[in-house]
């Protein structure tokens, strides 16, 4: 089961423990396709690439109307999973894979790269933000000033889509260049990965920075320092795309 932060009074500890292990609404509604707002989800995906801050302006409205920071519509999960499945088909065609091999790649991209990684990242950021980033209590601090696990997963979902466009889509078209054994092609490929993960980390920061009760959210940008160091070191001769794609397509 996945954790959820829940605000409760001391005499509500039992119900609080029940809600803390409940599966987030966004996962419980995955089967309700007729109730999903795909138009809004497509709008959000578009602006996550063009103006990501604009997407997070809506979380205040969602909190006021639904009394939760986390989205309850899984349409965006369905769209991203569909994009990953289509990407798997395209990669499979490029590598002359059969149907079963393409299905295996699609499951890896959806279940491992997107969902499992999202659960780990969301759990880590949920724990860190609630322990280290909550502002000190005051008369102006909201009573429910806790980061919901579902919102942390939303932030991962939002940050993942620009990374998808870079590494699952753009990289496919750059394949003839980045797989060559010369330094210029190594630079192009490694820079693509560096830009993708930089955008992902920045997307995580934007999501948590949008919560009014968090402070020091700039600490979430700290991974950019080792990321930059690893990128510079890789330019000495380590071709990241060749090693990553080699683990996918043997």
């Amino acid at each position: 089961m996945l954790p959820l932060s829940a605000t409760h009074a001391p005499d509500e500890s039992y119900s609080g423990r029940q809600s803390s292990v409940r599966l987030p609404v966004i996962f419980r509604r995955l089967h309700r396709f007729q109730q999903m707002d795909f138009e809004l989800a497509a709008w959000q995906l578009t602006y996550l690439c063009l103006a990501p801050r604009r997407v997070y302006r809506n979380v205040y409205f969602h909190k006021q109307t639904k009394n939760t920071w986390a989205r309850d519509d899984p349409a965006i999960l369905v769209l991203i999973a569909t994009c990953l499945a289509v990407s798997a088909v395209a990669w499979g065609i490029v590598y002359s894979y059969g149907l079963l091999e393409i299905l295996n790649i699609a499951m890896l991209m959806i279940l491992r790269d997107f969902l499992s990684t999202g659960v780990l990242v969301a759990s880590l950021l949920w724990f860190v933000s609630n322990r280290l980033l909550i502002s000190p209590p005051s008369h102006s601090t909201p009573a429910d000033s806790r980061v919901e696990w579902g919102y942390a997963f939303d932030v991962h979902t939002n940050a993942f889509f620009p990374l998808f466009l870079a590494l699952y889509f753009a990289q496919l078209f750059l394949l003839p260049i980045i797989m060559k054994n010369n330094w210029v092609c190594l630079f192009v490929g490694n820079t693509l990965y560096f830009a993708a993960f930089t955008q992902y980390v920045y997307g995580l920061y934007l999501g948590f920075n949008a919560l009014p009760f968090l402070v020091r959210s700039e600490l979430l940008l700290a991974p950019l320092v080792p990321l930059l160091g690893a990128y510079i070191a890789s330019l000495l001769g380590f071709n990241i795309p060749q090693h990553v794609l080699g683990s996918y397509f043997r």
Side-chain angles (χ1 to χ4, degrees):
M1 291 297 182
L2 303 177
L4 275 176
S5 62
T7 303
H8 52 269
D11 58 344
E12 297 175 327
S13 58
Y14 176 74
S15 61
R17 285 195 298 270
Q18 281 188 319
S19 64
S20 66
V21 296
R22 186 184 303 169
L23 194 67
V25 174
I26 194 172
F27 292 118
R28 299 202 304 269
R29 295 184 177 179
L30 275 173
H31 64 286
R32 303 180 184 179
F33 286 96
Q34 295 181 345
Q35 300 179 11
M36 297 182 189
D37 190 345
F38 289 102
E39 183 177 353
L40 175 61
W43 176 90
Q44 290 177 335
L45 291 178
T46 300
Y47 275 92
L48 284 171
C49 301
L50 301 178
R53 290 182 182 273
R54 185 170 178 179
V55 175
Y56 287 108
R57 292 175 189 170
N58 292 332
V59 301
Y60 298 100
F61 175 76
H62 192 272
K63 174 63 175 177
Q64 293 172 353
T65 57
K66 301 293 183 68
N67 196 31
T68 177
W69 295 101
R71 60 166 61 98
D72 54 1
D73 186 353
I76 196 169
L77 300 184
V78 175
L79 289 182
I80 291 180
T82 301
C83 290
L84 287 168
V86 172
S87 175
V89 172
W91 281 96
I93 293 174
V94 169
Y95 280 89
S96 302
Y97 272 16
L99 178 59
L100 292 179
E101 292 172 310
I102 291 177
L103 288 175
N104 181 59
I105 291 297
M107 290 300 100
L108 283 177
M109 290 180 175
I110 296 172
L111 298 180
R112 184 188 67 183
D113 298 357
F114 177 47
L115 293 178
S116 296
T117 301
V119 168
L120 292 175
V121 170
S123 299
L124 175 63
L125 294 179
W126 167 77
F127 178 81
V128 170
S129 58
N130 282 319
R131 289 298 183 91
L132 302 178
L133 305 183
I134 298 291
S135 60
S138 66
H139 66 279
S140 60
T141 302
D144 58 348
S145 57
R146 298 285 293 175
V147 178
E148 305 163 6
W149 187 92
Y151 181 80
F153 188 83
D154 286 347
V155 174
H156 156 76
T157 300
N158 295 342
F160 181 84
F161 188 68
L163 183 144
F164 159 79
L165 292 179
L167 300 187
Y168 296 80
F169 183 71
Q171 184 177 204
L172 182 63
F173 294 94
L174 293 174
L175 201 59
I177 298 175
I178 62 180
M179 296 302 285
K180 291 183 178 180
N181 292 316
N182 61 67
W183 190 85
V184 174
C185 296
L186 178 147
F187 173 78
V188 172
N190 290 8
T191 301
L192 178 67
Y193 274 76
F194 174 68
F197 282 100
T198 297
Q199 180 63 35
Y200 178 77
V201 172
Y202 180 66
L204 296 179
Y205 159 75
L206 286 181
F208 285 89
N209 189 56
L211 296 179
F213 52 83
L214 294 186
V215 295
R216 303 185 302 274
S217 55
E218 61 274 5
L219 292 176
L220 298 177
L221 295 173
L224 293 179
V225 176
L227 186 63
L228 176 61
Y231 166 67
I232 294 174
S234 71
L235 296 180
L236 299 178
F238 184 82
N239 191 307
I240 297 175
Q242 287 185 3
H243 286 80
V244 172
L245 295 178
S247 65
Y248 272 95
F249 310 101
R250 299 180 183 278

